[in-house]
Amino acid sequence: MVTDEEGFVNTMGDMLAIWHLPRTTGRVYGYLLLRGEPCTSDRLRAELRMSAGAVSTAVRDLVSWGLARTIPQPGSRRLLIEAAGGFDQLLAAGHERTRAFVRVLESARPLADDDRAARRLADVTALFTAYLEAVAGFRRP
């Protein structure tokens, strides 16, 4: 497990990469999770040693996933950024991708060459459908 802030931030980068988000996005999220107050993009850039473009892209990714929010500053174009709870949104997005995958599998039924291919396709579809059914009742305590 991680023992310091830098280790946590880097591990979050690796973990969110599993969800097909850029490692830099995960690092920004990890950093934001540890902050009690919202941060400026300048602070993120300096603390994480990232370019302005990388920070901007990471913040956009996090906001689109519901993992962060931006806070406008009156009289300024600058925004503050803070982590949002977001785990529910992350799971929902993953589940929607799985539902889309199941829809594609189901649409391929008439394309199977023979019974063997049709059974294999049905088995894969059933596996992902069972996964969706199993997680449908998942609720955070």
Side-chain angles (χ1 to χ4, degrees), residues 8-23:
F8 175 74
V9 166
N10 288 328
T11 300
M12 285 301 294
D14 295 339
M15 296 303 294
L16 264 63
I18 293 169
W19 291 86
H20 305 288
L21 288 170
R23 186 173 186 276

Side-chain angles (χ1 to χ4, degrees), residues 10 14 19-20 38 42 58 62 68 81 84 88 101 113 119 121 127:
N10 288 328
D14 295 339
W19 291 86
H20 305 288
D42 290 339
L62 292 170
I81 304 112
D88 293 331
F101 185 58
D113 279 346
R119 279 192 307 276
L121 185 59
L127 171 70

Side-chain angles (χ1 to χ4, degrees), residues 66-90:
L67 297 173
R69 68 179 142 263
T70 56
I71 305 163
Q73 297 304 290
S76 173
R77 290 180 33 192
R78 291 183 178 244
L79 299 171
L80 294 177
I81 304 112
E82 70 178 348
F87 185 67
D88 293 331
Q89 290 91 343
L90 191 61

Side-chain angles (χ1 to χ4, degrees), residues 21-22 24-25 28 32 41 44 52-70 79 81:
L21 288 170
T24 54
T25 299
V28 169
L32 291 172
S41 59
L44 290 169
V55 168
S56 178
T57 299
V59 169
R60 244 188 338 270
D61 286 344
L62 292 170
V63 168
S64 74
W65 279 77
L67 297 173
R69 68 179 142 263
T70 56
L79 299 171
I81 304 112

